[in-house]
Amino acid sequence: MMTIAKGKKMLLGGKWMEKEETISVYDPQDNSIITTVPKASKEDMLKAITAAEEGAKIAENMPAHERIAIINKAADYVDEKRNLFAETIASEGSKTIAEAKNEVFRCIHTLRVSAEEARRINGETIAFDQMPGHENRAGYYYRFPIGIIAAITPFNDPLNLVAHKVGPAIASGNAIIVKPATLTPLSALLLAEAFDAAGLPRKILSVVTGSGSEIGDVLITHPSIRMVSFTGGLETGENIARKAGLKKLSMELGSNSPAIVLKDADIDAAVSSCVAGAFGAVGQNCLGVQRVFIEKENFDKFVRKFVLMTSQYKIGDKKDLVTDMGPLITEKEAIRVEQWVNEAIEEGASLLVGGKRDGAFYSPTVLTNVPADAKIAKEEIFGPVVILFQVNDLNEAIEKANNVNYGLQAGIFTKDINLAFTAIKKLEVGGIMINDSSDYRIDAMPFGGVKGSGLGREGVKYTIQEMTEPKIVNFKLG
Ligand code: NAP
């Protein structure tokens, strides 16, 4: 059994702090209260920023070997307490315990890679003599930390997406203030405990719990914040980008990812990969498969197998190892998903399986005959719903896949290398998986989207690029 202390503290400006006003954290499975966290005010956020100004000076002067040692110790801490971390993720969020264990494994990896990359923050020499008249010049650039980073994170990967900002920020000598999702703040606080136990000077990292709409503006508009690293929904991201002003922005936003299944594909492999990609984490996954375009020759067979596999999904207790799918993050979200599906059915869509709600639980749902302009075909559902479309050929699939305002990742199933390369060239996305669904990521690859799916790339090394700035050095020789 997990033992989370009643009333967690937040790490703010070097101190573990309580507040009289608190926010309850619920387990969405039964709406029981797990614990409370402090509800930070705007003044609290200002205190965190003032402390981070000191923290940034400490961080920029820490040698790489110290940063490496601290990050590795934090990774050791997570590893030693991996069960507590997994239970926390599976309690405050939607994930099953198996999915939560995998997230903890990924978080440890993200931290280890961050420690590794701290040794490789390099510049390069520049050939100044390429320009006539500059023959007596020599120089290079270093990469320097940007200063203070504001990290705003979503509910769906409450640990590893925080690690994806904290690990690289500390690796590159920055201070960082994390504002975790209000629904799932406990994993981020545990990660702060890991860095505290590892000996990170306290003013370098704050984890401030509170409502984004109340305290977010103070953080993102403050002139001392040099970068806003946001992961979350498109609407929130656009709102933050408009307000942030002259700061670096990293925006990891949503999607409604496509998969394309061509007539030469291995159908069984495509079905199992797309089913897992659609319903993992209850479909609350930025990489989740939402739209599958199947060449007409395979459509009926694919649909039959897809529906059969979906109907075998086990929905139930998140903590049970045999459960495939738990509840959505809130009942409100489950009602929204139900409404979007019902709206599509009213507009002519056919429900092949699923479509049933019980509180926050919503059964894995497969639709076909969805009109191209239905909301569910255009926007991000962020729930366990997938749409199957029949297409005549690859060109039609690509055109339809691109006809949305998102472009995070895509998958294509084919044995034909030329067709795969056509998709690689033409699909408007940040990543393409050949013979796998969009739902593939390792933590050390460049990850991010185009169009409404975001700006910039994460993936430790790439995050470090975003979190540092080149400073050019030029010698005028005699
Ligand atoms: P969200 O509603 O956009 O919230 C994300 C974060 O923004 C939360 O911490 C939230 O705080 C905060 N926030 C809300 N309003 C704010 C404001 N005015 N100023 C500053 N911060 C504010 O997203 P979500 O529902 O948690 O997460 C789901 C979305 O994240 C989906 O669209 C998903 O695709 C996307 N996502 C993208 C990636 C990626 O890497 N591309 C990964 C995972 C998820 P409160 O919780 O206090 O409201």
mmCIF file of all heavy atoms in Angstrom, residues 25-60:
data_model
loop_
_atom_site.group_PDB
_atom_site.id
_atom_site.type_symbol
_atom_site.label_atom_id
_atom_site.label_comp_id
_atom_site.label_asym_id
_atom_site.label_seq_id
_atom_site.Cartn_x
_atom_site.Cartn_y
_atom_site.Cartn_z
ATOM 1 N N VAL A 25 -6.101 16.542 -3.734
ATOM 2 C CA VAL A 25 -5.728 15.722 -4.900
ATOM 3 C C VAL A 25 -6.551 14.427 -4.825
ATOM 4 O O VAL A 25 -6.538 13.736 -3.809
ATOM 5 C CB VAL A 25 -4.218 15.389 -4.893
ATOM 6 C CG1 VAL A 25 -3.836 14.621 -6.146
ATOM 7 C CG2 VAL A 25 -3.395 16.664 -4.765
ATOM 8 N N TYR A 26 -7.258 14.142 -5.906
ATOM 9 C CA TYR A 26 -8.196 13.011 -5.915
ATOM 10 C C TYR A 26 -7.655 11.843 -6.736
ATOM 11 O O TYR A 26 -6.923 12.053 -7.710
ATOM 12 C CB TYR A 26 -9.531 13.433 -6.551
ATOM 13 C CG TYR A 26 -10.264 14.494 -5.777
ATOM 14 C CD1 TYR A 26 -10.030 15.846 -6.027
ATOM 15 C CD2 TYR A 26 -11.186 14.142 -4.786
ATOM 16 C CE1 TYR A 26 -10.708 16.828 -5.313
ATOM 17 C CE2 TYR A 26 -11.863 15.120 -4.071
ATOM 18 C CZ TYR A 26 -11.620 16.462 -4.336
ATOM 19 O OH TYR A 26 -12.278 17.429 -3.628
ATOM 20 N N ASP A 27 -8.088 10.644 -6.358
ATOM 21 C CA ASP A 27 -7.905 9.482 -7.220
ATOM 22 C C ASP A 27 -9.139 9.429 -8.126
ATOM 23 O O ASP A 27 -10.268 9.272 -7.634
ATOM 24 C CB ASP A 27 -7.824 8.208 -6.355
ATOM 25 C CG ASP A 27 -7.591 6.968 -7.207
ATOM 26 O OD1 ASP A 27 -8.009 6.967 -8.386
ATOM 27 O OD2 ASP A 27 -7.001 6.001 -6.694
ATOM 28 N N PRO A 28 -8.952 9.572 -9.452
ATOM 29 C CA PRO A 28 -10.135 9.652 -10.327
ATOM 30 C C PRO A 28 -10.965 8.373 -10.363
ATOM 31 O O PRO A 28 -12.114 8.389 -10.791
ATOM 32 C CB PRO A 28 -9.533 9.949 -11.710
ATOM 33 C CG PRO A 28 -8.110 9.573 -11.625
ATOM 34 C CD PRO A 28 -7.701 9.713 -10.196
ATOM 35 N N GLN A 29 -10.383 7.283 -9.875
ATOM 36 C CA GLN A 29 -11.107 6.007 -9.929
ATOM 37 C C GLN A 29 -12.330 6.006 -9.021
ATOM 38 O O GLN A 29 -13.372 5.480 -9.369
ATOM 39 C CB GLN A 29 -10.143 4.900 -9.511
ATOM 40 C CG GLN A 29 -10.702 3.529 -9.657
ATOM 41 C CD GLN A 29 -9.578 2.530 -9.828
ATOM 42 O OE1 GLN A 29 -8.829 2.591 -10.796
ATOM 43 N NE2 GLN A 29 -9.441 1.629 -8.887
ATOM 44 N N ASP A 30 -12.180 6.592 -7.816
ATOM 45 C CA ASP A 30 -13.301 6.554 -6.868
ATOM 46 C C ASP A 30 -13.530 7.911 -6.217
ATOM 47 O O ASP A 30 -14.306 8.023 -5.258
ATOM 48 C CB ASP A 30 -13.049 5.493 -5.787
ATOM 49 C CG ASP A 30 -11.720 5.724 -5.082
ATOM 50 O OD1 ASP A 30 -11.101 6.793 -5.315
ATOM 51 O OD2 ASP A 30 -11.284 4.848 -4.319
ATOM 52 N N ASN A 31 -12.831 8.933 -6.722
ATOM 53 C CA ASN A 31 -12.972 10.293 -6.194
ATOM 54 C C ASN A 31 -12.552 10.428 -4.741
ATOM 55 O O ASN A 31 -12.931 11.388 -4.074
ATOM 56 C CB ASN A 31 -14.405 10.791 -6.343
ATOM 57 C CG ASN A 31 -14.511 11.665 -7.560
ATOM 58 O OD1 ASN A 31 -13.518 12.292 -7.959
ATOM 59 N ND2 ASN A 31 -15.691 11.717 -8.148
ATOM 60 N N SER A 32 -11.782 9.463 -4.228
ATOM 61 C CA SER A 32 -11.294 9.590 -2.854
ATOM 62 C C SER A 32 -10.149 10.614 -2.830
ATOM 63 O O SER A 32 -9.417 10.762 -3.819
ATOM 64 C CB SER A 32 -10.800 8.234 -2.347
ATOM 65 O OG SER A 32 -9.770 7.775 -3.201
ATOM 66 N N ILE A 33 -10.033 11.310 -1.683
ATOM 67 C CA ILE A 33 -8.948 12.292 -1.577
ATOM 68 C C ILE A 33 -7.670 11.560 -1.167
ATOM 69 O O ILE A 33 -7.654 10.826 -0.166
ATOM 70 C CB ILE A 33 -9.305 13.386 -0.542
ATOM 71 C CG1 ILE A 33 -10.508 14.190 -1.056
ATOM 72 C CG2 ILE A 33 -8.113 14.306 -0.301
ATOM 73 C CD1 ILE A 33 -10.958 15.297 -0.115
ATOM 74 N N ILE A 34 -6.609 11.755 -1.930
ATOM 75 C CA ILE A 34 -5.326 11.108 -1.600
ATOM 76 C C ILE A 34 -4.608 11.931 -0.538
ATOM 77 O O ILE A 34 -4.113 11.428 0.447
ATOM 78 C CB ILE A 34 -4.425 11.009 -2.856
ATOM 79 C CG1 ILE A 34 -5.138 10.296 -3.992
ATOM 80 C CG2 ILE A 34 -3.113 10.319 -2.514
ATOM 81 C CD1 ILE A 34 -4.416 10.430 -5.332
ATOM 82 N N THR A 35 -4.535 13.216 -0.796
ATOM 83 C CA THR A 35 -3.868 14.130 0.125
ATOM 84 C C THR A 35 -4.183 15.563 -0.343
ATOM 85 O O THR A 35 -4.999 15.750 -1.248
ATOM 86 C CB THR A 35 -2.339 13.876 0.147
ATOM 87 O OG1 THR A 35 -1.723 14.722 1.116
ATOM 88 C CG2 THR A 35 -1.679 14.130 -1.179
ATOM 89 N N THR A 36 -3.544 16.523 0.294
ATOM 90 C CA THR A 36 -3.702 17.903 -0.172
ATOM 91 C C THR A 36 -2.320 18.471 -0.485
ATOM 92 O O THR A 36 -1.303 17.982 0.012
ATOM 93 C CB THR A 36 -4.360 18.797 0.901
ATOM 94 O OG1 THR A 36 -3.515 18.806 2.053
ATOM 95 C CG2 THR A 36 -5.744 18.320 1.269
ATOM 96 N N VAL A 37 -2.325 19.518 -1.320
ATOM 97 C CA VAL A 37 -1.082 20.263 -1.572
ATOM 98 C C VAL A 37 -1.370 21.735 -1.306
ATOM 99 O O VAL A 37 -2.535 22.168 -1.368
ATOM 100 C CB VAL A 37 -0.576 20.068 -3.027
ATOM 101 C CG1 VAL A 37 -0.172 18.633 -3.286
ATOM 102 C CG2 VAL A 37 -1.605 20.534 -4.059
ATOM 103 N N PRO A 38 -0.319 22.521 -1.023
ATOM 104 C CA PRO A 38 -0.556 23.940 -0.768
ATOM 105 C C PRO A 38 -1.090 24.646 -2.016
ATOM 106 O O PRO A 38 -0.723 24.292 -3.140
ATOM 107 C CB PRO A 38 0.843 24.472 -0.428
ATOM 108 C CG PRO A 38 1.672 23.272 -0.141
ATOM 109 C CD PRO A 38 1.090 22.138 -0.887
ATOM 110 N N LYS A 39 -1.949 25.622 -1.790
ATOM 111 C CA LYS A 39 -2.449 26.431 -2.918
ATOM 112 C C LYS A 39 -1.639 27.727 -2.934
ATOM 113 O O LYS A 39 -1.868 28.632 -2.112
ATOM 114 C CB LYS A 39 -3.938 26.730 -2.714
ATOM 115 C CG LYS A 39 -4.589 27.431 -3.898
ATOM 116 C CD LYS A 39 -6.102 27.488 -3.680
ATOM 117 C CE LYS A 39 -6.869 27.850 -4.941
ATOM 118 N NZ LYS A 39 -6.670 29.196 -5.401
ATOM 119 N N ALA A 40 -0.674 27.796 -3.832
ATOM 120 C CA ALA A 40 0.218 28.959 -3.869
ATOM 121 C C ALA A 40 -0.533 30.191 -4.362
ATOM 122 O O ALA A 40 -1.438 30.092 -5.194
ATOM 123 C CB ALA A 40 1.400 28.671 -4.788
ATOM 124 N N SER A 41 -0.125 31.342 -3.832
ATOM 125 C CA SER A 41 -0.701 32.615 -4.274
ATOM 126 C C SER A 41 0.266 33.287 -5.259
ATOM 127 O O SER A 41 1.383 32.811 -5.469
ATOM 128 C CB SER A 41 -0.881 33.528 -3.057
ATOM 129 O OG SER A 41 0.398 33.795 -2.501
ATOM 130 N N LYS A 42 -0.173 34.423 -5.792
ATOM 131 C CA LYS A 42 0.712 35.174 -6.704
ATOM 132 C C LYS A 42 1.978 35.611 -5.964
ATOM 133 O O LYS A 42 3.084 35.604 -6.521
ATOM 134 C CB LYS A 42 -0.017 36.405 -7.237
ATOM 135 C CG LYS A 42 -1.125 36.038 -8.189
ATOM 136 C CD LYS A 42 -1.848 37.269 -8.691
ATOM 137 C CE LYS A 42 -2.941 36.825 -9.626
ATOM 138 N NZ LYS A 42 -4.023 37.754 -9.769
ATOM 139 N N GLU A 43 1.802 35.984 -4.681
ATOM 140 C CA GLU A 43 2.975 36.416 -3.886
ATOM 141 C C GLU A 43 3.949 35.249 -3.720
ATOM 142 O O GLU A 43 5.172 35.438 -3.753
ATOM 143 C CB GLU A 43 2.550 36.923 -2.490
ATOM 144 C CG GLU A 43 1.761 38.235 -2.492
ATOM 145 C CD GLU A 43 0.361 38.094 -3.082
ATOM 146 O OE1 GLU A 43 -0.292 37.051 -2.849
ATOM 147 O OE2 GLU A 43 -0.073 39.025 -3.802
ATOM 148 N N ASP A 44 3.394 34.052 -3.518
ATOM 149 C CA ASP A 44 4.279 32.884 -3.392
ATOM 150 C C ASP A 44 5.092 32.700 -4.676
ATOM 151 O O ASP A 44 6.284 32.388 -4.624
ATOM 152 C CB ASP A 44 3.458 31.608 -3.134
ATOM 153 C CG ASP A 44 2.749 31.644 -1.791
ATOM 154 O OD1 ASP A 44 3.318 32.204 -0.841
ATOM 155 O OD2 ASP A 44 1.620 31.119 -1.703
ATOM 156 N N MET A 45 4.413 32.866 -5.804
ATOM 157 C CA MET A 45 5.129 32.682 -7.075
ATOM 158 C C MET A 45 6.229 33.731 -7.214
ATOM 159 O O MET A 45 7.343 33.417 -7.665
ATOM 160 C CB MET A 45 4.129 32.758 -8.244
ATOM 161 C CG MET A 45 4.722 32.371 -9.571
ATOM 162 S SD MET A 45 5.491 30.715 -9.565
ATOM 163 C CE MET A 45 4.182 29.707 -10.236
ATOM 164 N N LEU A 46 5.940 34.954 -6.779
ATOM 165 C CA LEU A 46 6.977 36.002 -6.839
ATOM 166 C C LEU A 46 8.172 35.621 -5.960
ATOM 167 O O LEU A 46 9.328 35.840 -6.339
ATOM 168 C CB LEU A 46 6.397 37.348 -6.400
ATOM 169 C CG LEU A 46 5.601 38.085 -7.482
ATOM 170 C CD1 LEU A 46 4.887 39.298 -6.885
ATOM 171 C CD2 LEU A 46 6.503 38.506 -8.641
ATOM 172 N N LYS A 47 7.878 35.025 -4.780
ATOM 173 C CA LYS A 47 8.980 34.578 -3.899
ATOM 174 C C LYS A 47 9.820 33.511 -4.603
ATOM 175 O O LYS A 47 11.050 33.495 -4.489
ATOM 176 C CB LYS A 47 8.397 33.969 -2.604
ATOM 177 C CG LYS A 47 8.067 34.993 -1.540
ATOM 178 C CD LYS A 47 7.660 34.246 -0.259
ATOM 179 C CE LYS A 47 6.665 35.079 0.519
ATOM 180 N NZ LYS A 47 5.762 34.324 1.343
ATOM 181 N N ALA A 48 9.138 32.616 -5.296
ATOM 182 C CA ALA A 48 9.873 31.550 -6.006
ATOM 183 C C ALA A 48 10.788 32.172 -7.063
ATOM 184 O O ALA A 48 11.927 31.732 -7.260
ATOM 185 C CB ALA A 48 8.891 30.577 -6.655
ATOM 186 N N ILE A 49 10.289 33.212 -7.729
ATOM 187 C CA ILE A 49 11.098 33.853 -8.787
ATOM 188 C C ILE A 49 12.306 34.565 -8.172
ATOM 189 O O ILE A 49 13.435 34.458 -8.668
ATOM 190 C CB ILE A 49 10.233 34.821 -9.629
ATOM 191 C CG1 ILE A 49 9.131 34.035 -10.362
ATOM 192 C CG2 ILE A 49 11.101 35.596 -10.630
ATOM 193 C CD1 ILE A 49 8.051 34.873 -11.025
ATOM 194 N N THR A 50 12.081 35.257 -7.055
ATOM 195 C CA THR A 50 13.197 35.953 -6.391
ATOM 196 C C THR A 50 14.264 34.949 -5.964
ATOM 197 O O THR A 50 15.471 35.176 -6.166
ATOM 198 C CB THR A 50 12.678 36.721 -5.152
ATOM 199 O OG1 THR A 50 11.602 37.536 -5.591
ATOM 200 C CG2 THR A 50 13.745 37.584 -4.520
ATOM 201 N N ALA A 51 13.827 33.827 -5.408
ATOM 202 C CA ALA A 51 14.796 32.799 -4.996
ATOM 203 C C ALA A 51 15.518 32.227 -6.215
ATOM 204 O O ALA A 51 16.729 31.969 -6.167
ATOM 205 C CB ALA A 51 14.080 31.688 -4.238
ATOM 206 N N ALA A 52 14.772 32.058 -7.311
ATOM 207 C CA ALA A 52 15.395 31.487 -8.522
ATOM 208 C C ALA A 52 16.457 32.431 -9.092
ATOM 209 O O ALA A 52 17.410 31.972 -9.733
ATOM 210 C CB ALA A 52 14.324 31.188 -9.560
ATOM 211 N N GLU A 53 16.282 33.739 -8.851
ATOM 212 C CA GLU A 53 17.314 34.687 -9.331
ATOM 213 C C GLU A 53 18.651 34.351 -8.650
ATOM 214 O O GLU A 53 19.699 34.361 -9.288
ATOM 215 C CB GLU A 53 16.878 36.132 -9.053
ATOM 216 C CG GLU A 53 15.767 36.568 -10.003
ATOM 217 C CD GLU A 53 15.020 37.832 -9.553
ATOM 218 O OE1 GLU A 53 15.304 38.337 -8.441
ATOM 219 O OE2 GLU A 53 14.147 38.282 -10.313
ATOM 220 N N GLU A 54 18.583 34.032 -7.349
ATOM 221 C CA GLU A 54 19.799 33.579 -6.644
ATOM 222 C C GLU A 54 20.210 32.193 -7.129
ATOM 223 O O GLU A 54 21.387 31.914 -7.332
ATOM 224 C CB GLU A 54 19.507 33.469 -5.143
ATOM 225 C CG GLU A 54 19.878 34.695 -4.332
ATOM 226 C CD GLU A 54 19.569 34.399 -2.865
ATOM 227 O OE1 GLU A 54 20.228 33.545 -2.264
ATOM 228 O OE2 GLU A 54 18.612 35.026 -2.355
ATOM 229 N N GLY A 55 19.198 31.336 -7.282
ATOM 230 C CA GLY A 55 19.463 29.959 -7.718
ATOM 231 C C GLY A 55 20.178 29.916 -9.063
ATOM 232 O O GLY A 55 21.078 29.089 -9.271
ATOM 233 N N ALA A 56 19.780 30.812 -9.972
ATOM 234 C CA ALA A 56 20.394 30.818 -11.311
ATOM 235 C C ALA A 56 21.888 31.135 -11.213
ATOM 236 O O ALA A 56 22.703 30.563 -11.949
ATOM 237 C CB ALA A 56 19.686 31.828 -12.209
ATOM 238 N N LYS A 57 22.242 32.030 -10.269
ATOM 239 C CA LYS A 57 23.672 32.380 -10.107
ATOM 240 C C LYS A 57 24.444 31.178 -9.554
ATOM 241 O O LYS A 57 25.565 30.901 -9.972
ATOM 242 C CB LYS A 57 23.815 33.575 -9.155
ATOM 243 C CG LYS A 57 23.295 34.861 -9.769
ATOM 244 C CD LYS A 57 23.887 36.082 -9.069
ATOM 245 C CE LYS A 57 23.390 37.363 -9.729
ATOM 246 N NZ LYS A 57 22.011 37.701 -9.353
ATOM 247 N N ILE A 58 23.805 30.477 -8.600
ATOM 248 C CA ILE A 58 24.472 29.284 -8.044
ATOM 249 C C ILE A 58 24.634 28.233 -9.154
ATOM 250 O O ILE A 58 25.704 27.654 -9.333
ATOM 251 C CB ILE A 58 23.649 28.701 -6.865
ATOM 252 C CG1 ILE A 58 23.493 29.745 -5.747
ATOM 253 C CG2 ILE A 58 24.284 27.417 -6.331
ATOM 254 C CD1 ILE A 58 22.452 29.395 -4.698
ATOM 255 N N ALA A 59 23.552 28.041 -9.913
ATOM 256 C CA ALA A 59 23.558 26.979 -10.931
ATOM 257 C C ALA A 59 24.605 27.243 -12.012
ATOM 258 O O ALA A 59 25.327 26.328 -12.428
ATOM 259 C CB ALA A 59 22.176 26.862 -11.562
ATOM 260 N N GLU A 60 24.713 28.499 -12.458
ATOM 261 C CA GLU A 60 25.631 28.762 -13.574
ATOM 262 C C GLU A 60 27.090 28.593 -13.154
ATOM 263 O O GLU A 60 27.959 28.407 -13.991
ATOM 264 C CB GLU A 60 25.388 30.157 -14.182
ATOM 265 C CG GLU A 60 25.863 31.302 -13.323
ATOM 266 C CD GLU A 60 25.616 32.668 -13.962
ATOM 267 O OE1 GLU A 60 24.894 32.758 -14.960
ATOM 268 O OE2 GLU A 60 26.163 33.652 -13.426
#
